[in-house]
Amino acid sequence: MECEMPRINSNTQEMKEYFKNTKTIAVIGCSPNPTKDSHKVAKYLQEVGYDMIPIYPKEDIILGQKVYRSLADIEKSVDMVVVFRKPEVVNAVADACIARGDVKVLWTQIGIINNEASQKAKDAGISVVQNYCAMVEHRVLMN
């Protein structure tokens, strides 16, 4: 899948709308390590006002927030899911987003492309962004 190009993707105007309409963002693969990109992006999203929910297999608190083990464990509504995991995991993430019923945007970070999962999410009414950094795009589009 490494050579896969995103066939399903949103344009910059749509991305801008996603940011405007989003309140809560779950970050899958949010590392407690401040040198990791997932930590930096999660911190940025939190600092610009989003309710950031970390999902990670270990830790209890990251960036002052309760850490969840899975998307299904989160009790409140989630508008956007940002993924920092390998492309092959995105199928399960798409399934989890669909099962929740409240996720509006599935966003995979730079280098993470899974067209099958993206098509599945899109068919379920979830908007998709692949192979873009949420922090970089937010800085460009919202400032």
Side-chain angles (χ1 to χ4, degrees):
M1 259 196 246
E2 296 168 29
C3 296
E4 194 171 16
M5 294 298 294
R7 290 191 317 266
I8 295 93
N9 222 343
S10 298
N11 63 45
T12 54
Q13 187 55 44
E14 290 167 329
M15 289 181 211
K16 191 171 186 176
E17 289 302 312
Y18 304 155
F19 285 127
K20 282 183 187 175
N21 297 319
T22 292
K23 291 182 177 67
T24 304
I25 301 175
V27 179
I28 297 179
C30 181
S31 174
N33 183 339
T35 66
K36 299 284 188 180
D37 288 342
S38 63
H39 186 94
K40 292 174 188 174
V41 170
K43 184 177 182 190
Y44 171 84
L45 293 170
Q46 191 178 45
E47 287 173 348
V48 295
Y50 294 104
D51 181 7
M52 188 283 300
I53 303 170
I55 299 176
Y56 194 70
K58 300 171 255 177
E59 304 297 321
D60 293 322
I61 303 288
I62 296 175
L63 292 166
Q65 300 299 310
K66 176 182 176 180
V67 176
Y68 291 86
R69 303 297 173 242
S70 74
L71 199 51
D73 293 339
I74 301 170
E75 307 93 10
K76 60 178 150 183
S77 182
V78 175
D79 299 313
M80 181 186 290
V81 173
V82 174
V83 182
F84 282 92
R85 297 287 313 279
K86 293 183 186 217
E88 51 273 15
V89 177
V90 182
N91 276 311
V93 173
D95 289 339
C97 290
I98 293 164
R100 282 190 63 87
D102 59 357
V103 176
K104 295 168 191 70
V105 181
L106 172 59
W107 187 301
T108 64
Q109 287 294 119
I110 292 173
I112 305 169
I113 300 167
N114 184 323
N115 287 311
E116 178 186 338
S118 296
Q119 187 63 55
K120 187 187 326 183
K122 188 175 177 189
D123 290 346
I126 298 170
S127 299
V128 175
V129 178
Q130 294 192 90
N131 198 34
Y132 280 93
C133 177
M135 178 177 72
V136 169
E137 295 308 312
H138 186 275
R139 281 183 177 151
V140 169
L141 297 170
M142 304 307 286
N143 293 320

